[in-house]
Amino acid sequence: MAVFNRRQLLKSATGAAAVMAAARLQFPAGAFAQAAGPEVKGTKLGYIALTDASPLIIAKEKGMFAKYGLPDMSIEKQASWGATRDNIELGEAGGGITGAHILTPMPYLISSGKVTKGNVPVPMYILARLNLNGQGISVSSAYAGMNVTKDAKTFGEALKKAKAGGKEIKAAMTFPGGTHDLWIRYWMAAAGIDPDKDISTIVVPPPQMVANMKVNAMEAFCVCEPWNLQLIHQKIGFTALMTGELWNDHPEKSLGLRSDWVDKNPKAAKAILMATMEAQQWCDKMENKEEMCKIVGGRDWFKVPVNDILDRAKGIVDYGDGGRKVTADVNNPLMMKFWRGNASYPYQSHDLWFLTEDMRWGYLPTDFDAKGLIKKVNREDLWREAAKSLGTSDAEIPKSTSRGKETFFDGKVFDPENPMAYLKSQAITRV
């Protein structure tokens, strides 16, 4: 067994390098790396070309994954949320992916087998929320000048006239029971538009939204950027509202991974979390917004003009209707948040709202054990552990798994202690 004295260590190129070399000699091959770092050097995570995927892209581009011992992380573009689900079912071993930038309800729908092949459950964990706010509901330019805003009543009246004239009315979202589906349903239902009876809701992958509206395939859609702003730049439609107007600081995408992989590779999972959380902090700084947009808009990622992303990333919201505009402000309540305001923390009460809404629209039965599944899927304990390792201050780590009661633009209140009362307060529901 080799013995190193102080003089030998000082003769090395650096003391740190010598300590590492000595440790490797003292332990069996691989034991040092196993004890100090992740079990693997990386895995495959999916993303959709949406601005809220930025933390994963930045963690890769800025070397944050490598910093935490994961130099071989692969962040792979998915064609749609359906493809994301399919590849998570396959898992990395089957040629798919381990996890993804994902619509918050999807890990629950996948874990419960509600959207999987043969309804076979594929258990998943939510490790972090990736962002708050930042989605938009866009409307065809055919409805310009009708004062279509967060109040959809005039839009509903126009739709009834169009339908009476024989037109098939369609609104697009990105995945049944997912966030975009729930936002556009909430918006329409609040104005008395039944999203199942008065119109047809269709599934369109985010990157195909603009092209489909260009050929009049729908009257409205809900999606994240850059597609709402690109629609305006191409003079095809306008933004009726930003989803932060429905519910201020609402949760949106999550970092979701297969639970079997996390259980097998806990150190690697923690490293993924730490890198993602560091990237979220970087993305939230106003001075980094332009660089962030140039990176994610580039040929390796979204392949869209930076101008289709930058304004709304900075909090500038031109609705494209010839009047309404919000100027850049770091405190803009409509601005996408990655870290500020506990944006990264996976509140269990938020997950409960999504599952309650999925009950509302018939995607889940009313006797579904939502709280029981949340305890299995939501790993806020891992988030807390990673946050402490990052040196996050106690003030930035929530004390509760609930953000408390949430109030929506139409005055409805969601109390996580009594979700059924919230359901019963809704005028349009499948329950």
Coordinates of all heavy atoms in Angstrom, one line a residue, residues 286-340:
M286 N -32.1 39.1 -15.4 CA -32.5 39.9 -16.6 C -31.3 40.0 -17.5 O -31.4 40.0 -18.7 CB -33.0 41.2 -16.1 CG -33.6 42.0 -17.3 SD -35.0 41.3 -18.1 CE -36.3 41.9 -17.0
E287 N -30.1 40.1 -16.9 CA -28.9 40.4 -17.8 C -28.5 39.1 -18.6 O -27.7 39.2 -19.5 CB -27.7 40.8 -16.9 CG -27.3 39.7 -15.8 CD -27.9 39.9 -14.5 OE1 -29.0 40.5 -14.4 OE2 -27.3 39.5 -13.5
N288 N -29.1 38.0 -18.3 CA -28.9 36.8 -19.0 C -29.9 36.4 -20.1 O -29.8 35.5 -20.8 CB -28.7 35.6 -18.1 CG -27.5 35.7 -17.2 OD1 -26.5 36.3 -17.5 ND2 -27.6 35.0 -16.0
K289 N -31.0 37.2 -20.1 CA -32.1 36.8 -21.0 C -31.8 36.8 -22.5 O -32.2 35.9 -23.2 CB -33.3 37.8 -20.8 CG -33.9 37.9 -19.4 CD -34.6 36.5 -19.0 CE -35.2 36.6 -17.7 NZ -35.9 35.4 -17.3
E290 N -31.0 37.8 -22.9 CA -30.7 37.8 -24.4 C -29.8 36.6 -24.7 O -30.1 36.0 -25.8 CB -30.0 39.1 -24.7 CG -29.8 39.2 -26.2 CD -29.5 40.7 -26.6 OE1 -29.5 41.6 -25.8 OE2 -29.2 40.9 -27.8
E291 N -28.8 36.3 -23.9 CA -28.0 35.2 -24.2 C -28.8 33.9 -24.1 O -28.6 33.0 -25.0 CB -26.8 35.1 -23.2 CG -25.8 34.0 -23.5 CD -24.7 33.9 -22.5 OE1 -24.6 34.7 -21.6 OE2 -23.9 32.9 -22.6
M292 N -29.7 33.8 -23.2 CA -30.5 32.6 -23.0 C -31.3 32.4 -24.3 O -31.4 31.3 -24.9 CB -31.5 32.7 -21.9 CG -32.4 31.5 -21.7 SD -33.7 31.9 -20.4 CE -34.9 32.7 -21.5
C293 N -31.9 33.4 -24.8 CA -32.7 33.3 -26.0 C -31.9 33.0 -27.3 O -32.4 32.3 -28.1 CB -33.5 34.6 -26.2 SG -34.8 34.9 -24.9
K294 N -30.7 33.5 -27.4 CA -29.9 33.2 -28.5 C -29.5 31.7 -28.5 O -29.4 31.1 -29.5 CB -28.6 34.1 -28.5 CG -28.9 35.5 -28.9 CD -27.6 36.4 -28.8 CE -27.8 37.8 -29.2 NZ -26.6 38.6 -29.1
I295 N -29.2 31.2 -27.3 CA -28.8 29.8 -27.2 C -30.0 28.9 -27.5 O -29.9 28.0 -28.4 CB -28.3 29.5 -25.7 CG1 -27.0 30.2 -25.5 CG2 -28.2 28.0 -25.5 CD1 -26.5 30.1 -24.0
V296 N -31.2 29.1 -26.9 CA -32.3 28.2 -27.1 C -32.9 28.3 -28.5 O -33.4 27.4 -29.0 CB -33.4 28.3 -26.0 CG1 -32.8 28.0 -24.6 CG2 -34.1 29.6 -26.0
G297 N -32.8 29.6 -29.0 CA -33.4 29.8 -30.4 C -32.5 29.3 -31.5 O -32.9 29.2 -32.6
G298 N -31.2 28.9 -31.2 CA -30.3 28.5 -32.2 C -30.6 27.2 -32.9 O -31.5 26.4 -32.5
R299 N -29.7 26.9 -33.8 CA -30.0 25.7 -34.7 C -29.9 24.4 -34.0 O -30.6 23.4 -34.4 CB -28.9 25.7 -35.8 CG -29.0 26.9 -36.8 CD -28.1 26.8 -37.9 NE -28.3 25.6 -38.8 CZ -27.6 25.3 -39.8 NH1 -26.6 26.0 -40.2 NH2 -27.9 24.2 -40.5
D300 N -29.2 24.3 -32.9 CA -29.1 23.1 -32.1 C -30.4 22.8 -31.3 O -30.5 21.7 -30.8 CB -27.9 23.1 -31.2 CG -26.6 23.1 -32.0 OD1 -26.6 22.6 -33.1 OD2 -25.6 23.5 -31.4
W301 N -31.2 23.8 -31.1 CA -32.3 23.7 -30.2 C -33.7 24.0 -30.9 O -34.3 23.1 -31.4 CB -32.1 24.5 -29.0 CG -30.8 24.1 -28.3 CD1 -29.6 24.8 -28.3 CD2 -30.6 23.0 -27.5 NE1 -28.7 24.1 -27.6 CE2 -29.2 23.0 -27.1 CE3 -31.4 21.9 -27.1 CZ2 -28.7 22.0 -26.3 CZ3 -30.8 20.9 -26.3 CH2 -29.5 20.9 -25.9
F302 N -34.2 25.3 -30.9 CA -35.5 25.6 -31.4 C -35.5 25.9 -32.9 O -36.5 25.7 -33.5 CB -36.1 26.8 -30.7 CG -36.4 26.6 -29.2 CD1 -36.1 25.4 -28.5 CD2 -36.9 27.6 -28.4 CE1 -36.3 25.2 -27.2 CE2 -37.2 27.5 -27.1 CZ -36.8 26.3 -26.5
K303 N -34.4 26.5 -33.4 CA -34.4 26.9 -34.8 C -35.4 27.9 -35.1 O -36.2 27.8 -36.1 CB -34.5 25.7 -35.7 CG -33.4 24.7 -35.6 CD -33.6 23.5 -36.6 CE -32.5 22.5 -36.4 NZ -32.7 21.3 -37.4
V304 N -35.5 29.0 -34.3 CA -36.4 30.1 -34.5 C -35.7 31.4 -34.3 O -34.7 31.5 -33.6 CB -37.6 30.0 -33.5 CG1 -38.4 28.7 -33.7 CG2 -37.2 30.2 -32.1
P305 N -36.2 32.5 -34.9 CA -35.6 33.8 -34.8 C -35.6 34.2 -33.3 O -36.6 34.0 -32.6 CB -36.4 34.7 -35.6 CG -37.1 33.8 -36.6 CD -37.3 32.5 -35.9
V306 N -34.5 34.8 -32.8 CA -34.4 35.2 -31.4 C -35.5 36.2 -31.1 O -36.0 36.2 -30.0 CB -33.0 35.9 -31.2 CG1 -33.0 36.5 -29.8 CG2 -31.9 34.8 -31.3
N307 N -35.9 37.0 -32.1 CA -37.0 38.0 -31.8 C -38.3 37.4 -31.5 O -39.2 38.0 -31.0 CB -37.1 38.9 -33.0 CG -36.0 39.9 -33.2 OD1 -35.2 40.2 -32.2 ND2 -35.7 40.5 -34.3
D308 N -38.5 36.1 -31.9 CA -39.7 35.4 -31.5 C -39.8 35.0 -30.0 O -40.8 34.5 -29.5 CB -39.9 34.2 -32.4 CG -40.3 34.5 -33.8 OD1 -40.7 35.7 -34.1 OD2 -40.3 33.6 -34.7
I309 N -38.6 35.1 -29.4 CA -38.5 34.7 -28.0 C -38.2 35.8 -27.0 O -38.8 35.9 -25.9 CB -37.4 33.6 -27.8 CG1 -37.4 32.6 -28.9 CG2 -37.5 32.9 -26.4 CD1 -36.3 31.6 -28.8
L310 N -37.4 36.7 -27.4 CA -36.7 37.7 -26.5 C -37.7 38.6 -25.8 O -37.6 38.7 -24.6 CB -35.7 38.5 -27.3 CG -34.8 39.5 -26.5 CD1 -34.1 38.7 -25.4 CD2 -33.9 40.2 -27.4
D311 N -38.6 39.2 -26.5 CA -39.5 40.2 -25.8 C -40.2 39.6 -24.6 O -40.1 40.1 -23.5 CB -40.5 40.8 -26.8 CG -40.0 41.9 -27.6 OD1 -38.8 42.2 -27.5 OD2 -40.8 42.6 -28.3
R312 N -40.9 38.5 -24.8 CA -41.6 38.0 -23.7 C -40.7 37.3 -22.6 O -41.1 37.3 -21.4 CB -42.7 37.0 -24.2 CG -43.7 37.7 -25.0 CD -44.9 36.9 -25.4 NE -45.8 37.7 -26.2 CZ -47.0 37.3 -26.6 NH1 -47.4 36.1 -26.3 NH2 -47.8 38.2 -27.2
A313 N -39.5 36.9 -23.0 CA -38.6 36.5 -22.0 C -38.2 37.6 -21.1 O -37.9 37.4 -19.9 CB -37.4 35.9 -22.6
K314 N -38.2 38.8 -21.6 CA -37.8 40.0 -20.8 C -39.0 40.7 -20.1 O -38.9 41.7 -19.4 CB -37.2 41.1 -21.8 CG -35.7 40.7 -22.2 CD -35.2 41.9 -23.0 CE -33.7 41.7 -23.2 NZ -33.1 42.8 -23.9
G315 N -40.2 40.1 -20.4 CA -41.4 40.7 -19.7 C -42.1 41.7 -20.6 O -43.1 42.3 -20.2
I316 N -41.7 41.8 -21.9 CA -42.4 42.7 -22.8 C -43.5 41.9 -23.5 O -43.3 40.9 -24.1 CB -41.4 43.3 -23.9 CG1 -40.3 44.0 -23.2 CG2 -42.2 44.1 -24.9 CD1 -39.2 44.3 -24.2
V317 N -44.8 42.4 -23.3 CA -45.9 41.7 -23.9 C -46.7 42.6 -24.8 O -47.4 43.4 -24.3 CB -46.8 41.0 -22.8 CG1 -47.9 40.3 -23.5 CG2 -46.0 40.1 -21.8
D318 N -46.4 42.5 -26.1 CA -47.3 43.2 -27.0 C -48.3 42.1 -27.5 O -48.0 41.1 -28.1 CB -46.4 43.6 -28.2 CG -47.2 44.4 -29.2 OD1 -48.5 44.3 -29.2 OD2 -46.6 45.1 -30.0
Y319 N -49.6 42.4 -27.2 CA -50.6 41.4 -27.5 C -50.9 41.3 -29.0 O -51.6 40.3 -29.4 CB -51.9 41.8 -26.7 CG -51.8 41.6 -25.2 CD1 -51.2 42.5 -24.4 CD2 -52.4 40.5 -24.6 CE1 -51.1 42.3 -23.0 CE2 -52.3 40.3 -23.3 CZ -51.7 41.2 -22.5 OH -51.6 41.0 -21.1
G320 N -50.4 42.2 -29.7 CA -50.6 42.1 -31.2 C -52.0 42.5 -31.7 O -52.4 42.2 -32.8
D321 N -52.8 43.2 -30.8 CA -54.1 43.6 -31.2 C -54.2 45.1 -31.5 O -55.3 45.6 -31.5 CB -55.1 43.2 -30.1 CG -54.8 43.8 -28.7 OD1 -53.8 44.6 -28.6 OD2 -55.5 43.5 -27.7
G322 N -53.1 45.7 -31.6 CA -53.0 47.1 -31.9 C -53.2 48.1 -30.7 O -53.2 49.3 -30.9
G323 N -53.2 47.5 -29.5 CA -53.4 48.4 -28.4 C -52.6 48.0 -27.2 O -51.7 48.7 -26.7
R324 N -53.0 46.9 -26.6 CA -52.4 46.5 -25.3 C -50.9 46.1 -25.4 O -50.5 45.4 -26.3 CB -53.1 45.3 -24.8 CG -54.6 45.6 -24.4 CD -55.3 44.3 -24.0 NE -55.3 43.3 -25.0 CZ -55.4 42.0 -24.8 NH1 -55.5 41.5 -23.6 NH2 -55.5 41.2 -25.9
K325 N -50.1 46.6 -24.5 CA -48.7 46.3 -24.4 C -48.2 46.5 -23.0 O -48.5 47.5 -22.4 CB -47.9 47.2 -25.4 CG -46.4 46.8 -25.5 CD -45.7 47.6 -26.6 CE -44.3 47.2 -26.8 NZ -43.6 47.9 -27.9
V326 N -47.4 45.6 -22.6 CA -46.7 45.7 -21.3 C -45.2 45.8 -21.5 O -44.7 45.0 -22.3 CB -47.0 44.4 -20.4 CG1 -46.3 44.5 -19.0 CG2 -48.5 44.2 -20.2
T327 N -44.6 46.8 -20.9 CA -43.2 47.0 -21.1 C -42.3 46.1 -20.2 O -42.8 45.6 -19.2 CB -42.8 48.4 -20.9 OG1 -43.2 48.9 -19.6 CG2 -43.5 49.3 -22.0
A328 N -41.1 46.0 -20.5 CA -40.1 45.1 -19.8 C -40.1 45.6 -18.3 O -39.9 46.8 -18.0 CB -38.8 45.1 -20.4
D329 N -40.2 44.6 -17.4 CA -40.1 44.9 -16.0 C -39.8 43.6 -15.3 O -40.6 42.6 -15.5 CB -41.4 45.5 -15.5 CG -41.3 45.9 -14.0 OD1 -40.3 45.5 -13.3 OD2 -42.3 46.5 -13.5
V330 N -38.8 43.5 -14.5 CA -38.4 42.3 -13.8 C -39.6 41.8 -12.9 O -39.7 40.7 -12.5 CB -37.1 42.4 -13.1 CG1 -37.3 43.3 -11.9 CG2 -36.6 41.0 -12.7
N331 N -40.4 42.8 -12.5 CA -41.5 42.5 -11.6 C -42.8 42.3 -12.3 O -43.9 42.2 -11.7 CB -41.7 43.6 -10.5 CG -40.4 43.7 -9.6 OD1 -40.0 42.7 -9.1 ND2 -39.9 44.9 -9.5
N332 N -42.8 42.3 -13.6 CA -44.0 42.0 -14.4 C -44.7 40.7 -14.0 O -44.0 39.7 -14.1 CB -43.6 42.0 -15.9 CG -44.8 41.7 -16.8 OD1 -45.9 41.5 -16.4 ND2 -44.6 41.7 -18.1
P333 N -45.9 40.7 -13.5 CA -46.5 39.5 -13.0 C -46.8 38.5 -14.1 O -47.1 37.3 -13.8 CB -47.8 40.0 -12.4 CG -48.1 41.3 -13.1 CD -46.8 41.9 -13.3
L334 N -46.7 38.9 -15.4 CA -46.9 38.0 -16.5 C -45.7 37.3 -16.9 O -45.7 36.3 -17.7 CB -47.6 38.7 -17.7 CG -48.8 39.5 -17.4 CD1 -49.3 40.2 -18.7 CD2 -49.9 38.6 -16.8
M335 N -44.5 37.7 -16.4 CA -43.2 37.2 -16.9 C -43.0 35.8 -16.4 O -43.4 35.4 -15.3 CB -42.1 38.1 -16.3 CG -40.8 37.9 -16.9 SD -39.7 39.2 -16.2 CE -38.2 38.8 -17.1
M336 N -42.4 35.0 -17.3 CA -42.0 33.6 -16.9 C -41.0 33.7 -15.8 O -40.0 34.4 -15.9 CB -41.5 32.8 -18.1 CG -41.2 31.4 -17.8 SD -40.6 30.5 -19.2 CE -42.1 30.3 -20.2
K337 N -41.2 32.9 -14.7 CA -40.2 32.9 -13.7 C -39.6 31.5 -13.6 O -40.3 30.5 -13.7 CB -40.9 33.2 -12.3 CG -41.4 34.6 -12.2 CD -42.1 34.8 -10.9 CE -42.6 36.2 -10.7 NZ -43.3 36.4 -9.4
F338 N -38.3 31.4 -13.4 CA -37.6 30.1 -13.3 C -37.2 29.8 -11.9 O -37.2 28.6 -11.5 CB -36.4 30.1 -14.2 CG -36.7 30.2 -15.7 CD1 -36.5 31.4 -16.3 CD2 -37.2 29.1 -16.4 CE1 -36.8 31.6 -17.7 CE2 -37.4 29.2 -17.7 CZ -37.3 30.5 -18.4
W339 N -36.9 30.9 -11.1 CA -36.5 30.7 -9.7 C -37.1 31.6 -8.7 O -37.5 31.1 -7.6 CB -34.9 30.9 -9.6 CG -34.4 30.6 -8.3 CD1 -34.0 31.5 -7.3 CD2 -34.1 29.3 -7.7 NE1 -33.5 30.9 -6.2 CE2 -33.6 29.5 -6.4 CE3 -34.2 28.0 -8.2 CZ2 -33.2 28.4 -5.6 CZ3 -33.9 26.9 -7.4 CH2 -33.4 27.2 -6.1
R340 N -37.3 32.8 -9.1 CA -37.9 33.8 -8.1 C -39.3 33.4 -7.7 O -40.0 32.7 -8.4 CB -38.0 35.2 -8.8 CG -36.6 35.9 -9.0 CD -36.8 37.2 -9.7 NE -37.4 37.1 -11.0 CZ -38.6 37.6 -11.4 NH1 -39.3 38.3 -10.5 NH2 -39.0 37.5 -12.6

